[in-house]
Amino acid sequence: MSNFLVNSFIEFPVDEDFFFDDFDDYATQGAANAVWVPASSSPSFVVIASDLLRCVTERQSNQDTRCKYDFGLIDDTAFLLRYHFKVSTLTLGTSGGKLGCFAVFDNLDSSWLTNQDYISFQWAFSSYSGEDDYYIRTGNGASLQGGTSTLFSEAVSVNDEWDVQMSRNSATTATLGLFPNDSFGTPDETQNVTVSSSCINLRYIGTNSNGLTAGTSAGTADMDITVFKFWDGISSI
């Protein structure tokens, strides 16, 4: 794979395909100065404040709130990523179908409904009954709400907080675990998903959310990502 970018914000051992970012010392980013690159149409919806990457998940007309980092090509059979995840705010609003994800993608600029390859940790929330879910989802030439998914029993709630681990274990399997702390011992819950062996050439990691319906009562959630670590070419440590 390509060597990871070295800059003043990033630390990693030069002898490993490893990436670490605690988001320390980032200014709030716009499209012009981004390290984690936001979509030019919606830089204000993904905020990198001091020590966190915040994905603002809501439904807004013609807005796909995305921000991604380009790693170069990622191994098609084995990778491991870990990060701290917290739902810092949650307002249900009166609309349905508010969806977001933190994922590994094959396309930097693709919107929510664009067919693409990906493996994702996804969430859904609304004022409608039953729309308060977490998933591991994958697609091969599918939209971010298509493809194949496995549902977690955990419901989306404000102040949800886990250390998340997602691994690609082979060309055809991926696992996502929600852990109570960063020792990554016994998980609160783990789910697997079958991945298409044609889900290849993944290279971007970051956030995305749907942008289908405008409205001030749409509802919003802030999903905060901190202490991000990524290993390429391995699925466990």
Side-chain angles (χ1 to χ4, degrees):
M1 64 171 290
S2 301
N3 291 328
F4 294 143
L5 174 67
V6 182
N7 61 39
S8 60
F9 305 118
I10 297 166
E11 305 171 16
F12 64 93
V14 295
D15 59 341
E16 298 181 34
D17 286 331
F18 172 80
F19 174 92
F20 166 79
D21 200 341
D22 62 4
F23 305 101
D24 190 25
D25 298 325
Y26 281 111
T28 299
Q29 292 190 98
N33 66 347
V35 177
W36 289 73
V37 181
S40 59
S41 61
S42 57
S44 63
F45 285 88
V46 182
V47 179
I48 298 183
S50 178
D51 301 332
L52 63 87
L53 187 160
R54 171 166 291 161
C55 176
V56 183
T57 306
E58 61 185 12
R59 297 187 75 171
Q60 292 290 329
S61 181
N62 299 318
Q63 292 282 4
D64 292 278
T65 65
R66 56 192 184 270
C67 182
K68 301 175 185 177
Y69 192 99
D70 184 359
F71 285 85
L73 288 180
I74 293 170
D75 193 285
D76 292 330
T77 62
F79 64 75
L80 177 71
L81 62 101
R82 290 175 167 178
Y83 51 91
H84 191 78
F85 171 88
K86 182 178 181 179
V87 183
S88 58
T89 64
L90 178 64
T91 304
L92 297 181
T94 58
S95 68
K98 292 177 283 287
L99 307 168
C101 68
F102 192 73
V104 186
F105 309 85
D106 71 342
N107 193 309
L108 175 64
D109 295 319
S110 55
S111 65
W112 187 263
L113 294 179
T114 299
N115 290 337
Q116 57 197 290
D117 288 4
Y118 62 90
I119 303 173
S120 74
F121 175 39
Q122 189 171 120
W123 51 85
F125 67 96
S126 81
S127 57
Y128 299 168
S129 176
E131 288 192 353
D132 56 356
D133 302 311
Y134 293 108
Y135 306 83
I136 178 173
R137 186 182 295 272
T138 181
N140 170 226
S143 75
L144 290 172
Q145 62 194 54
T148 302
S149 66
T150 305
L151 179 68
F152 281 76
S153 63
E154 301 282 351
V156 177
S157 302
V158 68
N159 295 323
D160 281 351
E161 190 167 6
W162 292 288
D163 285 275
V164 177
Q165 176 175 286
M166 187 168 76
S167 60
R168 186 166 190 173
N169 310 312
S170 70
T172 58
T173 61
T175 300
L176 194 143
L178 305 177
F179 292 82
N181 54 58
D182 63 3
S183 67
F184 292 94
T186 301
D188 290 338
E189 188 171 357
T190 298
Q191 297 293 347
N192 302 304
V193 71
T194 299
V195 181
S196 169
S197 60
S198 298
C199 182
I200 59 174
N201 297 325
L202 306 181
R203 63 179 295 165
Y204 304 97
I205 299 179
T207 67
N208 207 324
S209 67
N210 66 332
L212 304 176
T213 305
T216 57
S217 61
T220 186
D222 290 343
M223 308 300 192
D224 293 347
I225 306 294
T226 57
V227 192
F228 175 83
K229 298 178 182 180
F230 172 74
W231 294 260
D232 189 49
I234 62 172
S235 56
S236 63
I237 55 173

